[in-house]
Amino acid sequence: TVLVGPRADLSAWQMMDGAPVTWAMNNGVLETGKGLIRTKAEFTDVQLHVEFATPKEVKGDSQGRGNSGVFLLGKFEIQVLDSYHNPTYPDGQASAMYGQFPPLVNASKAPGEWQMYDIVFTAPRFAAGKLEKPATATVFHNGIVVHNATPFWGPTAHKKIDPYTPDNAKGPIALQDHGSEAWFKNIKIKPL
């Protein structure tokens, strides 16, 4: 299923509160706007392809350059950031499992160039309300494996680890507004 692309519109998306999307999409390219957006559909295990670009003109540093994120089930973030010659904290750079694991290697391209993530995500499993298996992600950044079936410690949070709860087992794909410009195209999802 194509979520963002040349023949797609924003009908698969909504703001987090259910309102219509306020981000702009032109010629199949989605630009970050105010607030997080999410898919109307919810998912569990998925294969996800995302292409993104950060601004060509470099302004700012560290987390102030092209900061966004791809949220799996709306709760588990793979960081989007301009990490090309841009030192920042390890678990906050591009393709990090944000706040938990840095990528195995920095595979970032230069600012303004299109980059891609290919993600295989397995949702957490619960039995009788208790966690049996944590969520895991295998992530390729520009064709290079940066996480290999790595388990999330819990849902993404800033400087803390939230606990797993049964409501973590299903959710939307969400894209983050973090006050920086970033662009997305060719977002495709395949439930597994």
Side-chain angles (χ1 to χ4, degrees), residues 93-114:
Q93 65 184 293
S95 74
M97 293 168 72
Y98 186 81
Q100 298 181 33
F101 295 101
L104 295 171
V105 65
N106 181 345
S108 295
K109 292 183 178 181
E113 289 188 37
W114 284 102

Side-chain angles (χ1 to χ4, degrees), residues 41-56:
E42 294 198 338
F43 304 94
T44 54
D45 303 347
V46 297
Q47 180 175 339
L48 183 67
H49 176 84
V50 176
E51 295 178 29
F52 70 93
T54 59
K56 186 172 187 170

Side-chain angles (χ1 to χ4, degrees), residues 37 77 134 144 155:
I37 66 171
E77 182 183 7
I144 298 170

